[in-house]
């Protein structure tokens, strides 16, 4: 049984190497919420992927901090755990706050992998030795800048290019990109920027041979995505809408999508991510691992998850240097010229943390401790 002695929460302020723009806004600096668990002399890490603003999801760094501190942290410290898989039941009484839950649960999985002396990927049920990588390219200041970015990423070896899009940065852009690169694997992500009345525009993208269109409609919708999918040939991929395994079941059953993006933070932790992966695999729906501009800690968790058999499409998990001047782990995450990341084979996450750098970047911290057991 696992007993947690202390939970250390910290917030880091980290400037992105390049600003990242989606249909909901531009991010230049990330507020990073890290969880460190202390247990029997071991140290395990998790990253809560909530953003500064409630734009991608309804959580923020501040709500996640509050919920971890006041609700989830105390539950974790009071309990004996079998592993990360014990967390969903423990946290069940708290509704929502899935990114906060994932930050803690994923750290417990890391701890368990260290205790068992196995790679985190193996503990999760992973089988892949290498994972295929794609990139998500934000909306740029000009089409020319976008073309340069794509050129750079293709030269680096990435296997799939995903373009962020929105009305006004869509059809013309796809046309330009396809003219220059007729055969690359290309997809787009609208982050809910369209409505069902845009069906003709979206159907028109059929000529660009997109691998998928990610989350075109409302962030909380299955029904209208199902109406849309029936009217277009390109597969819809859901991101924001899929909160858990049941959502995946419903979306697949309604044919709201033909592909699913799994983000471990969005679904509340590794246990639920495996659940989504399993129901999708059983129904022949390919999945891939999404990203949330993570540091190396969240990134190492994404790599481990991506090693599961159903992750058959290139994910958004890419090299550290695309995001950070200096990542907080070592070695940093590297992508080969074939566009692959090697899954670590050492115990736990497989990447060491740079404690000095983390200290330097920390702007807020708090420690929660287990109540000392009463001595007889
Ligand atoms: O919708 O996948 C998304 C980043 C922040 C919020 C939402 C999304 C993204 C990305 C970037 O697409 C993925 C990454 O490179 O980490
Ligand atoms: Mg997305």
């Amino acid at each position: 049984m696992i007993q947690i002695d202390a939970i250390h929460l910290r917030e880091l302020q980290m400037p992105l190497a390049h600003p990242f723009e989606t249909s909901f806004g531009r991010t230049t600096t990330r507020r990073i919420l890290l969880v460190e668990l202390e247990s029997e002399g071991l140290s395990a890490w998790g990253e809560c992927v909530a953003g500064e603003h409630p734009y991608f999801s309804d959580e923020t760094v501040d709500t996640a901090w509050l919920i971890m501190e006041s609700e989830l942290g105390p539950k974790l410290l009071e309990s004996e755990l079998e592993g990360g898989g014990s967390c969903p039941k423990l946290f069940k009484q708290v509704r929502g706050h899935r990114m906060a839950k994932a930050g803690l649960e994923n750290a417990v999985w890391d701890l368990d992998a260290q205790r068992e002396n196995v790679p985190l990927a193996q503990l999760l049920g992973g089988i892949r030795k290498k994972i295929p990588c794609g990139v998500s390219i934000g909306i740029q200041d000009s089409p020319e800048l976008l073309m340069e970015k794509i050129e750079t990423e293709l030269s680096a070896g990435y296997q799939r290019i995903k373009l962020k899009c929105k009305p006004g940065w869509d059809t013309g852009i796809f046309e330009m990109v396809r003219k220059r690169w007729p055969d690359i694997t290309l997809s787009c992500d609208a982050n809910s920027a369209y409505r069902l009345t845009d069906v003709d525009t979206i159907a028109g993208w059929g000529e660009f041979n997109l691998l998928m269109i990610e989350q075109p409609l409302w962030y909380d919708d299955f029904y209208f995505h199902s109406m849309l999918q029936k009217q277009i040939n390109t597969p819809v991929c859901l991101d924001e809408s899929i909160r858990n395994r049941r959502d995946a079941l419903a979306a697949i059953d309604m044919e709201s999508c033909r592909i699913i993006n799994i983000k471990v933070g969005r679904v509340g932790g590794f246990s639920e991510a495996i659940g989504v992966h399993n129901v999708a695999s059983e129904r022949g729906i390919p999945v891939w691992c999404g990203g949330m501009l993570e540091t190396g800690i969240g990134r190492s968790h994404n790599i481990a998850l991506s090693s599961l058999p159903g992750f058959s499409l290139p994910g958004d998990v890419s090299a550290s240097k695309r995001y950070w001047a200096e990542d907080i782990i070592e070695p940093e995450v590297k992508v080969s010229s074939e566009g692959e990341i090697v899954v670590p084979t050492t115990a736990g996450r497989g990447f060491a943390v740079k404690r000095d750098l983390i200290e330097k970047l920390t702007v807020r911290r708090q420690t929660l401790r287990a109540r000392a057991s009463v001595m007889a």
Side-chain angles (χ1 to χ4, degrees):
M1 285 302 218
I2 303 176
Q3 192 117 42
I4 312 289
D5 303 319
I7 303 171
H8 304 280
L9 301 180
R10 18 170 124 225
E11 180 182 332
L12 276 51
Q13 192 86 34
M14 289 180 71
L16 282 168
H18 309 280
F20 188 79
E21 186 172 330
T22 69
S23 63
F24 58 74
R26 180 182 275 232
T27 307
T28 51
T29 297
R30 285 283 278 123
R31 290 175 60 190
I32 299 289
L33 203 175
L34 294 183
V35 172
E36 182 185 5
L37 301 181
E38 224 182 281
S39 170
E40 296 173 1
L42 292 172
S43 151
W45 293 79
E47 177 169 344
C48 172
V49 300
E52 177 167 6
H53 301 284
Y55 298 165
F56 173 82
S57 80
D58 46 18
E59 291 182 83
T60 70
V61 171
D62 294 313
T63 67
W65 186 293
L66 176 69
I67 293 296
M68 285 187 196
E69 172 194 345
S70 60
E71 299 283 346
L72 307 174
K75 286 186 196 297
L76 201 58
L77 290 167
E78 277 163 18
S79 308
E80 297 222 308
L81 310 162
E82 271 172 49
S86 307
C87 288
K89 196 170 159 209
L90 189 65
F91 296 158
K92 197 166 169 236
Q93 198 179 12
V94 175
R95 293 188 178 173
H97 301 284
R98 293 183 303 279
M99 291 176 176
K101 289 173 179 171
L104 290 167
E105 178 183 326
N106 296 352
V108 176
W109 282 90
D110 176 24
L111 178 63
D112 194 18
Q114 292 182 45
R115 285 168 55 109
E116 299 297 323
N117 203 25
V118 295
L120 176 59
Q122 185 187 319
L123 193 65
L124 295 172
I127 52 147
R128 292 173 194 278
K129 293 190 166 66
K130 293 183 271 183
I131 63 163
C133 307
V135 287
S136 172
I137 305 184
I139 294 164
Q140 305 294 313
D141 289 335
S142 73
E144 292 71 34
L145 279 173
L146 175 67
M147 300 296 268
E148 275 174 36
K149 281 240 165 185
I150 297 173
E151 176 67 54
T152 305
E153 307 298 8
L154 290 172
S155 308
Y158 286 103
Q159 299 183 17
R160 182 225 62 198
I161 301 289
K162 161 174 140 184
L163 304 176
K164 289 290 186 177
C165 66
K166 64 176 182 183
W169 186 270
D170 49 12
T171 314
I173 295 291
F174 304 152
E175 201 163 4
M176 221 173 73
V177 173
R178 266 299 179 226
K179 211 174 225 170
R180 175 136 166 220
W181 294 285
D183 300 321
I184 58 168
T185 306
L186 188 66
S187 71
C188 70
D189 184 357
N191 290 109
S192 307
Y194 298 89
R195 298 295 171 256
L196 197 57
T197 46
D198 298 313
V199 60
D200 292 341
T201 305
I202 297 172
W205 302 343
E207 68 171 298
F208 304 123
N209 186 29
L210 301 176
L211 177 64
M212 69 191 99
I213 300 171
E214 188 175 338
Q215 199 73 36
L217 308 179
W218 298 268
Y219 73 92
D220 56 356
D221 169 78
F222 302 139
Y223 179 72
F224 293 101
H225 280 96
S226 162
M227 309 262 288
L228 176 69
Q229 181 68 89
K230 289 179 176 64
Q231 298 174 69
I232 65 175
N233 294 323
T234 312
V236 169
C237 169
L238 289 179
D239 174 356
E240 284 91 323
S241 297
I242 306 292
R243 301 161 302 178
N244 51 45
R245 178 183 170 280
R246 280 182 303 101
D247 281 352
L249 276 173
I252 294 168
D253 204 45
M254 292 169 73
E255 218 206 323
S256 306
C257 65
R258 296 187 191 140
I259 297 176
I260 293 176
N261 165 343
I262 300 183
K263 287 179 180 164
V264 61
R266 195 195 67 225
V267 302
F270 281 132
S271 301
E272 198 69 27
I274 294 167
V276 173
H277 163 273
N278 292 349
V279 301
S281 292
E282 286 155 14
R283 286 158 186 78
I285 296 289
V287 302
W288 53 278
C289 185
M292 291 291 289
L293 314 176
E294 290 92 345
T295 70
I297 290 173
R299 203 163 291 279
S300 61
H301 288 167
N302 288 342
I303 294 168
L305 182 65
S306 303
S307 73
L308 269 69
F311 285 79
S312 54
L313 295 172
D316 276 349
V317 185
S318 58
S320 297
K321 67 172 183 206
R322 293 189 65 248
Y323 305 85
W324 316 110
E326 186 181 0
D327 203 343
I328 58 174
I329 55 164
E330 57 192 346
E332 62 172 35
V333 175
K334 290 216 170 68
V335 170
S336 75
S337 53
E338 279 78 48
E340 293 173 324
I341 295 174
V342 176
V343 179
T345 52
T346 51
R349 291 178 317 276
F351 296 85
V353 297
K354 291 185 176 174
R355 216 171 254 286
D356 292 347
L357 181 60
I358 290 176
E359 279 299 330
K360 215 173 84 185
L361 296 167
T362 299
V363 293
R364 178 186 181 193
R365 70 173 83 220
Q366 178 163 4
T367 294
L368 313 174
R369 281 188 196 281
R371 237 186 300 173
S373 47
V374 182
M375 295 287 185

